Amino acid sequence: MSTPRLDVLVVGAGFSGLYALYKAREAGFRVAGVEAAPTVGGTWYWNRYPGARCDVESLDYSYSFDEALQREWRWSERYATQPEILAYAEHVADRFDLRGHLEFSSRVVSARFRDDTATWTVSTDTGRQYSTRFLVFATGSLSAPHQPGLPGFDDFAGEVLFTARWPEQGADLTGKRVGVIGTGSSGIQSVPIIAEQAASVTVFQRSANYSVPAGNRPLTDADQVRAQRDYPQRRRKSWASTAGSPHDAHPDSALELDEDTRREVFEARWQQGGVLFGKTFPQQTIDERVNRLARDFAEAKIRTIVRDPRTADDLVPSDHPIGTKRICTDSGYFETFNLPHVTLVNLRREPITTLTGDGIRTSDAHYELDTLVLATGFDAMTGALTRIDLEGARGNHISTVWGNGPSTYLGMGIPGLPNLFSLTGPGSPSVLANMILAAEQQVNWLIDLLLHCAESGFTQVESRRDAAEAWTRHVDEVAGATLFPKAASWYMGANIAGKPQGFMPYIGGFAAYGQLCDAVRDADYRGFVFT
Ligand code: N01
């Protein structure tokens, strides 16, 4: 059997890829990485639209694996901006000397498993080929942008900007008539900033979304001192949590509290800011009655802020329980609609009929535009993998293996694709958790598995099909006990026409998931076949 040149090839140099490279190298493996962007950072390289910042607090959305790194890096704001997070990723790459292992500006287009040698041959769009024993996809959950088929799209003569592919040199929107399609996190974060520059902003909204003020603020010197002092406890709590952040839901059931107390609790959480409003009370994403209370509170907030009653009506989400689509975090989103040059177009009432040379025609009107911003989301969780021509053992192709939706074992192994692992993908806590800790947990576990292979002389490890089926059923059942499947969300694959529907991330909890993975390891990697 011939020996591949590499032990581990990591695809993607975002936070999971960087950590995978680092850990694999530290474990003594021969490693390399391939990254489509010209530098590290993954999603934080591409999503450089105005207003882009993380909705997890910077103190939490950072690596925990290295004490010195944690001590020396200083976050300037409670929620870090895209440039600051990108700078952090660059710092990590330099500090741990990872760049030398990476080929940048190179996208993996195909990978083939050779049954006879138990190796992967991986090809990139730059014409390079890699031969590797193990192939780790750290390609991100929100990295395959979705461009909807808009009628007349090619006729539009103005500038088109994608939030997920914002030009590196920026875009000057001063004095422009800007249309924005999409009111998810990207649209909601960018609209207030675009409105500061543009002559007019027309927001084309198909579905209204819940958004909570981020509550962002600079981190003071005192914050920094406190952060360093409290870090061990903060991290311990995150590792033991359901979502990788140190959050406590209110101890009481919302249904047992009187109305005034309940309102105070919601208000305090709202003022604290951020996505965790979606988990103010226990059972909030499980019990429709608790969820309704949170929805009513959020609706009242929107109506208090937005002056025009019809616009407020349109901005109140009516089609999903709060929190079952990712809650957006904003800085003045709803307030923006009080500005005279900002208009909301409700596409449910007046759908787009066509794009024209100079704007968008709906069933009711023609909106003249110089620039169109598409904040239209991603082929989430699976798109980065299914866009690659990926063929595993015995002719198993990703398109058929995942033809009915993503089937994984523990979210990492895919039956039929031996020696291949997916990080922070479907079947793992992933986007429901703090992604950086989620990546650390999976990579730590995975490197142990690869060391086990190496030490035991195995050249091939593959998830058993029945183990993957049982895990995928479990992922589905746990989601089914919540309100999440009630939303037509990208978690469900509902934003992409023809995509199999099913709740993709594992919602059983971040810490619980880690324990399940460890139990599999302790049971001699039950569910995997080694040869
Ligand atoms: O994408 P989305 P996103 N005509 O899919 C609309 C993370 N993130 O990039 O809902 C008209 O949420 C679509 O409408 P509808 C975060 O996890 C985090 O904003 O399908 N509209 C929707 O409004 C987030 O959840 C941060 O009816 C069309 C929008 O486009 C995830 O990324 C920041 C359309 C897409 O919203 C994705 O967010 C940014 C069409 N044909 C992103 N097609 C933070 O950390 C689509 N839409 C804060």
Side-chain angles (χ1 to χ4, degrees):
M1 191 177 284
S2 71
T3 309
R5 205 181 60 79
L6 292 172
D7 298 314
V8 180
L9 179 70
V10 178
V11 186
F15 284 114
S16 9
L18 283 178
Y19 186 57
L21 263 185
Y22 167 76
K23 277 294 279 189
R25 185 191 64 194
E26 296 307 293
F29 292 115
R30 293 166 302 164
V31 295
V34 180
E35 166 56 54
T39 185
V40 298
T43 197
W44 298 106
Y45 169 80
W46 298 104
N47 288 273
R48 48 181 69 232
Y49 58 83
R53 65 170 79 234
C54 190
D55 60 4
V56 177
E57 291 193 41
S58 48
L59 292 172
D60 302 313
Y61 194 82
S62 49
Y63 288 118
S64 73
F65 72 89
D66 189 274
E67 267 296 311
L69 169 69
Q70 188 163 276
R71 258 198 315 276
E72 78 201 12
W73 185 264
R74 191 182 162 135
W75 294 104
S76 66
E77 293 179 82
R78 183 174 173 215
Y79 294 97
T81 59
Q82 173 269 332
E84 192 168 20
I85 301 172
L86 184 57
Y88 175 72
E90 305 252 13
H91 171 73
V92 170
D94 293 333
R95 191 184 193 290
F96 296 99
D97 203 12
L98 298 171
R99 282 183 203 272
H101 301 296
L102 281 155
E103 184 195 350
F104 291 107
S105 303
S106 178
R107 185 177 286 278
V108 168
V109 289
S110 73
R112 293 265 176 288
F113 186 74
R114 283 192 51 178
D115 295 279
D116 57 344
T117 58
T119 57
W120 283 93
T121 303
V122 179
S123 306
T124 70
D125 62 358
T126 54
R128 259 193 83 177
Q129 280 209 336
Y130 293 86
S131 164
T132 182
R133 175 73 70 214
F134 297 107
L135 180 55
V136 177
F137 279 96
T139 36
S141 300
L142 295 158
S143 49
H146 167 56
Q147 182 186 337
L150 296 164
F153 182 75
D154 291 336
D155 296 335
F156 181 63
E159 185 181 27
V160 179
L161 298 167
F162 291 86
T163 49
R165 290 288 180 273
W166 203 263
E168 201 161 344
Q169 69 281 12
D172 184 9
L173 300 175
T174 314
K176 301 266 176 66
R177 296 166 299 175
V178 180
V180 180
I181 298 183
T183 49
S185 295
S186 306
I188 283 180
Q189 277 189 329
S190 55
V191 161
I193 314 285
I194 292 172
E196 285 172 13
Q197 304 165 11
S200 69
V201 182
T202 311
V203 179
F204 297 89
Q205 171 196 278
R206 190 165 64 183
S207 312
N209 246 318
Y210 288 103
S211 187
V212 177
N216 187 42
R217 61 178 174 77
L219 292 177
T220 62
D221 288 347
D223 289 327
Q224 306 287 352
V225 171
R226 206 172 314 118
Q228 289 306 330
R229 188 195 62 204
D230 296 345
Y231 241 135
Q233 191 198 353
R234 188 175 184 119
R235 293 298 196 183
R236 255 197 315 278
K237 201 166 170 184
S238 296
W239 280 102
S241 70
T242 55
S245 304
H247 167 71
D248 289 315
H250 193 272
D252 302 318
S253 160
L255 301 173
E256 284 161 9
L257 297 178
D258 64 66
E259 204 179 323
D260 286 346
T261 314
R262 206 158 49 213
R263 195 175 318 108
E264 277 166 27
V265 175
F266 277 132
E267 183 63 39
R269 190 63 246 187
W270 187 272
Q271 293 307 330
Q272 224 174 317
V275 285
L276 292 171
F277 179 81
K279 295 180 178 177
T280 305
F281 285 106
Q283 303 287 310
Q284 199 169 300
T285 50
I286 292 173
D287 185 327
E288 197 101 49
R289 294 166 303 168
V290 182
N291 196 274
R292 172 46 66 188
L293 295 168
R295 289 181 74 170
D296 289 347
F297 183 89
E299 172 171 344
K301 285 286 183 193
I302 297 170
R303 293 191 187 284
T304 310
I305 298 167
V306 180
R307 284 193 218 106
D308 174 48
R310 183 176 149 108
T311 306
D313 276 348
D314 289 343
L315 285 168
V316 172
S318 58
D319 63 355
H320 64 279
I322 188 168
T324 56
K325 284 182 172 182
R326 178 82 172 187
I327 292 189
C328 308
T329 53
D330 68 276
S331 301
Y333 176 66
F334 293 116
E335 289 83 347
T336 307
F337 292 95
N338 292 332
L339 299 173
H341 67 300
V342 178
T343 308
L344 182 72
V345 175
N346 181 346
L347 296 179
R348 300 260 180 233
R349 208 171 31 238
E350 48 167 315
I352 293 174
T353 50
T354 188
L355 270 65
T356 63
D358 61 351
I360 291 183
R361 192 181 307 289
T362 67
S363 57
D364 289 11
H366 182 256
Y367 299 89
E368 289 191 1
L369 305 171
D370 304 307
T371 302
L372 179 60
V373 173
L374 293 179
T376 45
F378 302 88
D379 182 354
M381 307 217 65
T382 55
L385 230 58
T386 55
R387 290 179 186 191
I388 296 169
D389 177 13
L390 206 57
E391 189 176 294
R394 308 170 300 277
N396 280 294
H397 196 274
I398 188 77
S399 57
T400 43
V401 176
W402 278 7
N404 296 321
S407 171
T408 70
Y409 183 43
L410 298 178
M412 289 182 272
I414 303 174
L417 306 179
N419 293 7
L420 178 149
F421 299 91
S422 154
L423 295 177
T424 69
S428 78
S430 178
V431 290
L432 300 176
N434 170 355
M435 286 293 255
I436 299 193
L437 293 198
E440 286 186 347
Q441 180 271 330
Q442 284 196 322
V443 169
N444 291 343
W445 188 90
L446 177 58
I447 297 300
D448 279 351
L449 172 68
L450 302 191
L451 283 170
H452 171 71
C453 285
E455 285 156 11
S456 313
F458 297 124
T459 54
Q460 185 167 323
V461 52
E462 180 175 350
S463 318
R464 283 171 43 164
R465 199 167 293 276
D466 58 348
E469 282 167 4
W471 177 254
T472 305
R473 247 192 332 274
H474 174 61
V475 170
D476 196 50
E477 279 164 11
V478 178
T482 73
L483 301 174
F484 277 78
K486 291 187 183 297
S489 64
W490 57 257
Y491 297 137
M492 294 290 293
N495 63 327
I496 304 293
K499 188 165 173 171
Q501 303 283 294
F503 193 78
M504 292 183 281
Y506 179 58
I507 203 170
F510 170 64
Y513 169 79
Q515 285 161 9
L516 288 169
C517 292
D518 290 349
V520 166
R521 179 200 58 208
D522 295 345
D524 294 326
Y525 294 102
R526 176 183 61 217
F528 288 98
V529 179
F530 295 88
T531 42

